[in-house]
Amino acid sequence: MKLLMTTTLAALMALPAMAQDMPATEFNVVGSIGSLSMYTDKELPFWSETVPSETGGKITANVKPFTELGFKGGEIFRLVSNGTLQIATTVLAYNSGEVPRNEATDLVGVLSSVEQLAEVVDAWRPSYSEFLEKEHNIKLLGFGTYQAQVIYCRDEFTSLADLAGRKVRASGASQQAFVSHLGGSPLSIAFAEVQPSLASGVVDCAITGALSGYKAKWHESAKFISPMPVNFGLAAQLANLDWWNGLDASVQDYLTTGLRGLETSIFKLAATETETGLACNTTGPCSEGEPAGMTLVPLTEADEALRAEAVKVAILPAFAERCGAECVSAWNATIGGKLGVTIE
């Protein structure tokens, strides 16, 4: 008994000071795509292991990925806003047609790496956080990202121009504008439904993460893959603002710090996964399973020129039209300033 009391006392003393006075708090968390590493390697252990361990069981989160809860993805943002969900992770592009600012940091063709994405996210964070609170009753807690989003196709193509006339799954307004500029037909299809859509011919091509598509077995139907980073699949951890304001300050402080740490770890993971995903989809080596044997379509100077043209004449102008003058001003002052790009 003395040993037990000593051990318990030591454990309590090891807790952060704020956790010792923290009220017992339990809530539900909706995570990202359940089969992918953002959830399995980062979100799930954070909520199910790190949080209860660091708070001595004071905070309990019941976490499930949205793919196991019957959601398609696009509704998550709205459900956090109206209070149906307390905390959730969502890919921001899923809702960018309704809320253009959700796609501001991850426009097609603008960024070249996860590291660059992290820089523009930091530049955009204060403005975006204020916007979410004022306009959507949402508290921004952190970001996450998938690896580079690349193009998978069933049939052979040798350049981006060959996507003209093809039906392409595109996630978000920016990807859809890009596909349209190439002469393709963009379709909005939930991630879990893409593989059967490729198999049945509902779509000819689809865009997703280099490793995400491999884990979802898109290679069973798609046989060609382009390594060009279309964009990066930025996600965010969001909380309903009314619910958040009702939490004890010690719980808010802990979650604020913890979720920023989770953000950092997700970005570090994503930075390595583009190369892994391309290797796994093609000839290996693959740390995730057997190489899929897809054909890698080399990038050409014509592809780079077409991407740059799309950004200039389609992506940025379409974003400006969707987002409005105030949004463009905020973008130019933050993200644009970081990149040295100005939207007219």
Side-chain angles (χ1 to χ4, degrees):
M1 180 63 71
K2 287 182 179 180
L3 178 60
L4 178 61
M5 291 176 63
T6 300
T7 302
T8 302
L9 179 61
L12 288 172
M13 292 176 65
L15 290 176
M18 65 177 178
Q20 296 179 29
D21 298 323
M22 191 181 290
T25 306
E26 182 175 2
F27 51 85
N28 298 321
V29 176
V30 176
S32 58
I33 298 170
S35 61
L36 303 183
S37 56
M38 187 192 301
Y39 181 78
T40 59
D41 295 5
K42 298 300 179 182
E43 290 177 82
L44 178 58
F46 173 78
W47 290 114
S48 62
E49 300 171 17
T50 303
V51 169
S53 174
E54 290 185 348
T55 65
K58 294 292 186 69
I59 297 180
T60 304
N62 306 304
V63 59
K64 288 285 186 182
F66 81 82
T67 46
E68 291 184 13
L69 295 172
F71 296 125
K72 292 184 179 294
E75 70 274 56
I76 300 297
F77 185 92
R78 296 189 298 273
L79 294 176
V80 174
S81 179
N82 67 26
T84 302
L85 302 180
Q86 296 168 319
I87 293 182
T89 301
T90 186
V91 175
L92 292 172
Y94 288 169
N95 200 252
S96 60
E98 298 174 37
V99 187
R101 292 196 195 208
N102 282 357
E103 208 168 24
T105 56
D106 196 23
L107 296 171
V108 166
V110 174
L111 304 177
S112 60
S113 68
V114 170
E115 291 82 2
Q116 192 177 37
L117 175 62
E119 292 178 2
V120 300
V121 159
D122 277 338
W124 181 244
R125 192 189 311 265
S127 173
Y128 183 56
S129 179
E130 180 180 6
F131 165 77
L132 288 179
E133 292 190 21
K134 287 184 176 181
E135 301 296 331
H136 294 281
N137 196 40
I138 286 175
K139 175 70 175 179
L140 173 65
L141 296 175
F143 290 96
T145 188
Y146 293 103
Q147 62 284 169
Q149 307 286 289
V150 297
I151 301 168
Y152 297 70
C153 285
R154 297 171 65 215
D155 300 323
E156 183 177 6
F157 70 104
T158 58
S159 71
L160 294 179
D162 291 342
L163 299 184
R166 301 195 192 190
K167 297 171 291 185
V168 184
R169 183 263 186 172
S171 175
S174 180
Q175 284 189 9
Q176 290 168 0
F178 179 62
V179 171
S180 294
H181 180 75
L182 296 177
S185 300
L187 298 177
S188 180
I189 299 175
F191 181 85
E193 298 172 5
V194 174
Q195 167 57 11
S197 296
L198 282 166
S200 65
V202 170
V203 292
D204 304 303
C205 305
I207 303 171
T208 199
L211 186 57
S212 303
Y214 172 81
K215 290 190 172 183
K217 301 186 185 303
W218 286 17
H219 52 269
E220 291 183 353
S221 299
K223 302 305 178 184
F224 298 85
I225 186 168
S226 166
M228 189 192 82
V230 176
N231 57 349
F232 291 90
L234 186 71
Q237 287 89 36
L238 307 172
N240 176 264
L241 185 60
D242 293 333
W243 173 79
W244 174 263
N245 288 338
L247 295 175
D248 186 85
S250 63
V251 177
Q252 292 178 340
D253 290 344
Y254 172 76
L255 291 176
T256 298
T257 301
L259 284 164
R260 286 298 294 273
L262 176 64
E263 173 184 315
T264 299
S265 70
I266 290 173
F267 271 77
K268 286 182 178 178
L269 177 66
T272 69
E273 288 189 332
T274 299
E275 184 176 346
T276 300
L278 291 172
C280 286
N281 274 308
T282 54
T283 59
C286 179
S287 58
E288 302 293 331
E290 291 296 319
M294 294 181 71
T295 298
L296 188 69
V297 180
L299 284 178
T300 66
E301 290 185 5
D303 289 334
E304 294 291 358
L306 187 55
R307 179 200 60 78
E309 177 195 9
V311 170
K312 181 178 180 180
V313 306
I315 304 303
L316 294 182
F319 172 71
E321 184 176 354
R322 293 194 309 271
C323 216
E326 182 182 349
C327 169
V328 169
S329 178
W331 194 96
N332 284 337
T334 55
I335 298 169
K338 177 67 68 174
L339 298 174
V341 176
T342 300
I343 300 176
E344 301 297 334

